[in-house]
Amino acid sequence: MTRQLSTRILWGQGSISHLTDSGGTTGTMALACGNTCLKYILFITNFIFFLIGLGTVGLGIWALLDDDKILILTEVGDTGSFDVASLIRTGALVLIASGGTAVLIGFFGCCGAVKENNCLLFAYCVVMVAILFVQIAAVVIAAVFQSKVTEDLKAFLKSRVNAQYEGSVSTGDAFSLGLDVAQIQFECCGIDNYMDFLSATRWQDRKNTSDIIPLTCCKFTNKEAYYRDVSLLDMDDTSCQSSPSDENSNFRKGCWNAILEYANDKAIYVIAVGVAIGVVEVLCIVVAACLIQAIRKLDDEAAE
């Protein structure tokens, strides 16, 4: 029995092709239910990417054009040598670039699925594969150079303590503020321990003669008050700075190990998110490849 291929129904009708035999009987062939579902899944997934990308680009543009209001919102302003405005502009450019990439991916994925366009779907696959390889390369590089990076970073932080740390809760120095926040939040002292402050030239010049550790190395019963009003902090022992002990301070506990412990505790969540993103990317590539193959097959049969 001879079968002849009729025209393919458009997107709104499911993009299904029909065959009519000599007796007038009509049969359905793929791109049927399975591939149509894949097309909808690809479209919805990439439409979400597209919206997220637009939102990210919009946020970046707003931050770039209206950074004065952001400075007011963050209550940071200009802190000496730490150029907050430049940091905000750099972050805005990163948001625009990453959002633009998401918009591009979403465009290729959505239009390629809706139009059943092999060129757009192929471009989508190429971009997704490139991003996947970049992510894999980043993970490999991070793993290979982890020890070197951590050693250099630790040495850099200790050098900043020596050169910059002031120990004053009213300081405008960004590094000093950051270390104080870390010492309060993670209940630690210095990079390795309190000995790091023996060579902190700025702190040594400003501190009371009897002080051995900065205020933020002490233990507090209400450390959350630090973020509202430092004057409300309630120390376990008011002699903490001049007579530090394990009971009244965290002087033996370094922030480096404390933060590493916290990061290791949360690593499972970071890994899970990373793996989930990778799986979604691979599935999108596979779905797009399947649609390319199905559309190409129908086109070939239509040409016969």
Side-chain angles (χ1 to χ4, degrees):
M1 186 176 343
T2 304
R3 291 176 176 261
Q4 296 176 332
L5 184 66
S6 67
T7 58
R8 192 169 61 207
I9 297 175
L10 297 179
W11 160 254
Q13 297 169 303
S15 295
I16 303 174
S17 297
H18 293 270
L19 292 175
T20 304
D21 60 24
S22 55
T25 303
T26 300
T28 303
M29 62 178 296
L31 203 68
C33 180
N35 288 321
T36 301
C37 288
L38 291 180
K39 184 165 66 173
Y40 276 109
I41 291 172
L42 189 65
F43 173 80
I44 293 172
T45 302
N46 285 279
F47 187 66
I48 294 173
F49 287 162
F50 186 81
L51 292 179
I52 292 174
L54 283 181
T56 305
V57 170
L59 181 61
I61 293 174
W62 173 68
L64 196 62
L65 299 179
D66 211 3
D67 57 355
D68 288 341
K69 289 184 179 178
I70 296 178
L71 288 173
I72 294 173
L73 289 174
T74 56
E75 298 180 354
V76 176
D78 186 12
T79 55
S81 61
F82 186 65
D83 192 348
V84 178
S86 295
L87 181 62
I88 291 174
R89 283 192 289 271
T90 301
L93 292 175
V94 171
L95 286 175
I96 292 172
S98 57
T101 302
V103 168
L104 183 66
I105 293 172
F107 173 79
F108 284 151
C110 288
C111 291
V114 170
K115 298 295 185 181
E116 295 179 16
N117 187 301
N118 273 354
C119 291
L120 289 175
L121 288 174
F122 182 75
Y124 172 78
C125 285
V126 170
V127 173
M128 290 294 287
V129 169
I131 291 174
L132 192 61
F133 273 114
V134 168
Q135 292 170 337
I136 293 173
V139 171
V140 172
I141 292 172
V144 171
F145 294 100
Q146 179 183 7
S147 60
K148 175 64 175 173
V149 171
T150 52
E151 288 175 7
D152 290 347
L153 179 57
K154 189 175 184 179
F156 170 76
L157 291 174
K158 296 188 78 167
S159 70
R160 291 300 87 203
V161 170
N162 295 341
Q164 282 185 249
Y165 184 73
E166 297 179 357
S168 171
V169 292
S170 60
T171 180
D173 181 74
F175 179 82
S176 295
L177 284 171
L179 183 55
D180 281 335
V181 169
Q183 290 179 158
I184 288 288
Q185 185 62 37
F186 294 99
E187 299 180 352
C188 55
C189 188
I191 306 304
D192 284 327
N193 52 49
Y194 77 102
M195 297 290 289
D196 293 329
F197 297 112
L198 296 179
S199 55
T201 53
R202 288 190 182 182
W203 185 69
Q204 289 292 336
D205 290 341
R206 290 169 171 79
K207 75 181 183 69
N208 294 327
T209 306
S210 60
D211 288 348
I212 297 175
I213 61 173
L215 175 66
T216 51
C217 286
C218 295
K219 290 183 179 181
F220 302 94
T221 56
N222 60 338
K223 69 176 185 178
E224 293 79 12
Y226 176 82
Y227 305 102
R228 302 192 306 272
D229 187 348
V230 177
S231 64
L232 298 177
L233 283 172
D234 185 15
M235 277 193 290
D236 287 351
D237 183 352
T238 55
S239 65
C240 164
Q241 287 186 265
S242 57
S243 303
S245 65
D246 291 330
E247 287 71 30
N248 64 16
S249 74
N250 306 298
F251 78 124
R252 297 182 192 276
K253 181 182 178 182
C255 291
W256 181 264
N257 288 333
I259 293 174
L260 281 184
E261 288 175 8
Y262 177 82
N264 288 334
D265 289 341
K266 304 300 180 182
I268 184 65
Y269 303 109
V270 176
I271 293 172
V273 171
V275 170
I277 291 173
V279 169
V280 170
E281 290 173 344
V282 171
L283 289 177
C284 286
I285 293 170
V286 171
V287 169
C290 289
L291 286 177
I292 290 173
Q293 184 64 27
I295 294 170
R296 184 175 296 168
K297 181 178 179 181
L298 288 176
D299 289 341
D300 290 343
E301 290 178 351
E304 292 177 359

